[in-house]
Amino acid sequence: MEAELVKRLREICGADTVIVEAEKLDDARYDVHETGCAPAIILKPTVADTLPDAIAEISRHGYAIAPRGGGLSYTAAYIPQSDRTVLIDTAALNRIIDINSNDMTITVECGVTWKQIYDALAQYKLRLPFFGTFSGKGATVGGGLSHGALFFGSARHGSAAEMVLGIDVACANGSVLRTGQGALKVEGKSFLRSFGPDLTGLFVHDGGTLGLKLRATLRLIPMPEQLDYASFAYPTLEAASDALCELARAGVAEEAYVMDPAATDHLDIDAAEMLRSASAVARSADNPLAAAKSLLAMGKAGVSVIPKGHYSLHVTAAGLSREAVAADMKSIIQIQKAARGKQVTATIPMAARADPFANLNGVMGQDGGRWAALNAKVALSDAQKLLKTFNAMIEPYADEMSSKGVRVTRLASALSNHCYSFEPVFHWKDIWLPLHRNAPDPSHVRKYQEPDANPEARELVNILRRKTVNLFRDFAAASNQIGRVYPFLSALSNEPRELLLTLKNHLDPKGLMNPGVLEFPVNNQTET
C-alpha cells in the first residue's frame, strides 16, 4: 500500500516532491529537542492547489498527516507519532499572491517566511503589525499561525493571531475550507475577519490538527518612519519585570523584552560595536546619522554597558513622526526612572532591528550546547507570583543541576498591553540532533566540537520541563507552541472540550491530521 501511495503522490504533486530516502526520513524524527518516529514519506509540494488531492489520498490510505513549516519546534509540534505518517513540508509553498496597498492586506501561501513578507513590503513602505519572530529567517506564516508567533512589533500590536483576516485550510477529506469573508458563497476580498462567528480563530494556534493551512490574508500597517531605542539594567528579574509590565500598560513600545545576564554577560559591547549597530540601522533610515547621533549622545551622557549580573530591559519605539516617537521615548524613560532602572547602551535592540531575520545559529546553544525552552503568558498582575512560584519549584534542584551541568535562564517580554510572557530556557551539553548540525551556518557549526551524549542531564531537563509545564497549567497560563508538550484538552472545562472534540470529529473523523497535538486522540492508522 505504501508503494501505491508514493506512486499516487508523485502523480498528484510531481515526482521530485516525494522524498523516501532513509537518511532524510530519519532526520525528520527530531525537532530542536523532542524525538518521535520517522515518517514513511516526506511530501514537499511546490503547488498549493495540489495539496487537497494529496491529503485526500493520504487519508484514503490511512496514513497520518504531519505539517511542518520552518521546522523550529521544540515541543514535538510536527514530529510523527507513528511510522504510518506522511510529513508535509510546506517550505516550497512560498508565493506572495497579492499585495493590496489600497485595502492594506497581503495574501500569501503559508510556506512564505516573515522575512519574505518584510522584504516584499519594503517598496510599498508597508509592514505587518507583528512582523517576525526572534527565531530567525526560517519561520513561516503557516507555522506561526498554527503554533503562536510573536516578537517584533508584539508589545504594541500583539501576535500573528491578531492580524490574520482569513485562512484557506485543506481538510482531511481533501476539501478546502475558507474563513473570514472567504467563507461567503459570493467570492469577495478578504478584508474582515469576523462576519458571524469567528471561523478564522478556530484554525489559529490549532497546531495543524484541524487542517493544513494553504493560504492566509494578513492586514498591513504603514511602515513606521521613525525608530528609537533604549535599554535599562536591573539587579533582579522581578524588578525588571515590574518595569516591563508598566511599559506594557502604557502602550508606548513596539518591543519590550528582558534578557537574562547569562545571555548578555559574555557580550563585549564597546563603542565600536555601538557604532556598527547604529550604522546598520541607519542604512535604512531617512536620516543616515540619526541612529549614530543618538548613541553618541547617550555615551556623552555617561550611559554605560550592562553591568555584570544584571537583567536588561530593551525597548524599541516606533512611529510615523519624530514627535510621536520622542513622546513615547520620554514616557519610556520616565517609567524606567520611576522603577529605578539604570540606562545603558541600546546596542541590543538596535542590533535586533538592524537584522530582524538573522541566521539560524541560535538553534545551537551557547558554546555548542543545547537548549529547550518553555513559555507561559499570564496577566500582568500575575507576573510576580509566577516568577516566585517558578523559583520555588526549581530551587530544590539547584545542586543536581550544578552537578549535571544544567542551568536555566529566564526571559520575559510584553505582548500587547495586557500580557506578560515568561520563558525559562534550560541549557546543557549533549549530543546534537540533526537541526543542530544542519540549521546554523556551517562556519558556526565548525566553531564547536560536538559534545558526548549526556542522558543524565537530558533526563533532568525533561523532569524540570514537566514540572514547569504543570506549574504553568496551575496558573491557567497560555503558551505558544503547545505541540505535544503542554496539556490542552485535559486543561479545558467540559463544554469547550466537547465542542472542540465534535469539531475535530467533523473535520477529521479518522483522527489523521497531526494526531496527538493539543492532546487530540491518536488513532491507530490502518490500511484501507
Side-chain angles (χ1 to χ4, degrees):
M1 291 294 287
E2 186 174 307
E4 180 187 337
L5 177 57
V6 169
K7 178 175 179 291
R8 286 290 297 127
L9 292 178
R10 285 175 172 158
E11 291 171 352
I12 294 167
C13 296
D16 293 340
T17 68
V18 181
I19 299 167
V20 293
E21 288 83 359
E23 182 178 356
K24 293 181 179 179
L25 297 177
D26 189 66
D27 282 354
R29 297 173 55 215
Y30 308 94
D31 64 9
V32 178
H33 179 64
E34 303 286 345
T35 303
C37 298
I41 302 164
I42 296 174
L43 179 65
K44 192 173 182 178
T46 57
V47 179
D49 287 339
T50 63
L51 255 183
D53 287 345
I55 287 172
E57 193 68 29
I58 296 165
S59 297
R60 187 176 72 82
H61 281 77
Y63 280 65
I65 297 157
R68 182 176 68 191
L72 302 177
S73 166
Y74 44 81
T75 58
Y78 60 81
I79 292 178
Q81 302 301 289
S82 160
D83 57 8
R84 288 183 58 79
T85 299
V86 177
L87 188 147
I88 299 180
D89 183 342
T90 64
L93 303 179
N94 58 1
R95 289 193 311 126
I96 294 176
I97 298 167
D98 179 59
I99 297 173
N100 191 323
S101 57
N102 290 322
D103 294 334
M104 298 295 281
T105 62
I106 182 170
T107 301
V108 301
E109 292 181 341
C110 285
V112 163
T113 65
W114 304 110
K115 173 177 169 52
Q116 280 180 267
I117 294 175
Y118 188 81
D119 291 343
L121 291 175
Q123 63 180 305
Y124 301 93
K125 295 189 176 181
L126 297 174
R127 201 194 79 189
L128 298 175
F130 149 80
F131 66 93
T133 67
F134 206 35
S135 54
K137 61 187 179 183
T140 65
V141 168
L145 294 177
S146 295
H147 300 288
L150 70 155
F151 191 72
F152 287 111
S154 285
R156 174 162 284 167
H157 300 289
S159 69
E162 280 74 57
M163 67 183 186
V164 59
L165 300 173
I167 308 173
D168 291 358
V169 181
C171 300
N173 64 0
S175 64
V176 176
L177 187 153
R178 294 181 171 90
T179 74
Q181 294 301 104
L184 299 177
K185 290 181 181 179
V186 177
E187 186 175 348
K189 298 177 180 178
S190 293
F191 67 94
L192 190 66
R193 173 164 168 161
S194 296
F195 177 51
D198 181 15
L199 297 180
T200 300
L202 292 172
F203 297 94
V204 174
H205 295 190
D206 72 323
T209 192
L210 298 180
L212 192 147
K213 295 166 184 62
L214 299 175
R215 289 171 285 268
T217 298
L218 312 167
R219 66 183 182 89
L220 302 175
I221 62 172
M223 175 70 78
E225 295 183 7
Q226 302 295 324
L227 297 171
D228 203 357
Y229 310 89
S231 295
F232 306 87
Y234 288 89
T236 66
L237 177 57
E238 289 73 15
S241 293
D242 274 344
L244 178 71
C245 291
E246 285 299 321
L247 275 180
R249 294 183 188 100
V252 290
E254 276 220 324
E255 288 111 49
Y257 50 101
V258 176
M259 296 184 69
D260 194 291
T264 58
D265 279 354
H266 70 286
L267 298 178
D268 182 17
I269 303 174
D270 57 15
E273 179 63 28
M274 282 197 298
L275 288 175
R276 281 195 295 272
S277 295
S279 298
V281 176
R283 277 195 292 271
S284 60
D286 289 339
N287 183 348
L289 296 178
K293 285 182 176 179
S294 175
L295 279 183
L296 289 172
M298 290 173 64
K300 291 177 181 178
V303 177
S304 62
V305 297
I306 303 166
K308 297 291 185 184
H310 279 59
Y311 285 83
S312 51
L313 192 160
H314 307 283
V315 188
T316 301
L320 296 178
S321 70
R322 287 189 178 88
E323 293 77 12
V325 172
D328 284 344
M329 189 55 66
K330 181 179 179 181
S331 296
I332 289 165
I333 292 173
Q334 287 175 342
I335 290 168
Q336 299 308 304
K337 282 184 176 179
R340 300 183 182 276
K342 174 182 172 60
Q343 192 167 5
V344 296
T345 54
T347 307
I348 287 173
M350 290 189 74
R353 273 296 186 104
D355 187 12
F357 304 101
N359 52 44
L360 297 176
N361 293 346
V363 166
M364 188 178 291
Q366 208 175 102
D367 299 323
R370 282 173 52 181
W371 57 265
L374 292 167
N375 174 267
K377 300 177 183 67
V378 297
L380 299 177
S381 59
D382 287 333
Q384 292 297 337
K385 183 180 178 183
L386 176 63
L387 296 178
K388 181 178 180 181
T389 307
F390 176 78
N391 291 338
M393 182 275 292
I394 206 167
E395 195 278 331
Y397 291 90
D399 290 343
E400 185 179 1
M401 290 172 66
S402 178
S403 66
K404 293 181 177 178
V406 176
R407 60 188 180 87
V408 62
T409 58
R410 298 160 174 85
L411 306 174
S413 63
L415 179 60
S416 195
N417 67 342
H418 55 81
C419 179
Y420 175 85
S421 180
F422 173 59
E423 189 163 294
V425 185
F426 297 97
H427 307 260
W428 77 106
K429 289 291 185 73
D430 200 354
I431 191 171
W432 294 339
L433 301 178
L435 272 172
H436 299 113
R437 303 185 188 98
N438 301 330
D441 292 338
S443 59
H444 184 76
V445 176
R446 287 194 295 269
K447 291 179 182 179
Y448 306 105
Q449 181 175 347
E450 182 171 348
D452 294 331
N454 192 350
E456 294 83 6
R458 192 185 321 139
E459 178 56 25
L460 176 58
V461 167
N462 288 332
I463 290 170
L464 295 173
R465 277 166 59 88
R466 288 192 292 269
K467 286 184 171 291
T468 302
V469 165
N470 290 336
L471 184 156
F472 291 169
R473 180 185 57 194
D474 292 342
F475 266 81
S479 298
N480 57 307
Q481 276 206 39
I482 298 172
R484 295 176 174 85
V485 167
Y486 298 89
F488 180 70
L489 281 183
S490 65
L492 293 179
S493 57
N494 288 336
E495 291 78 9
R497 181 172 66 248
E498 290 305 312
L499 177 61
L500 283 174
L501 285 170
T502 301
L503 177 66
K504 170 71 170 174
N505 187 58
H506 173 75
L507 293 171
D508 182 21
K510 296 180 181 179
L512 297 176
M513 293 298 299
N514 220 6
V517 165
L518 307 189
E519 296 187 315
F520 279 105
V522 178
N523 292 346
N524 292 322
Q525 292 86 53
T526 57
E527 295 185 10
T528 60

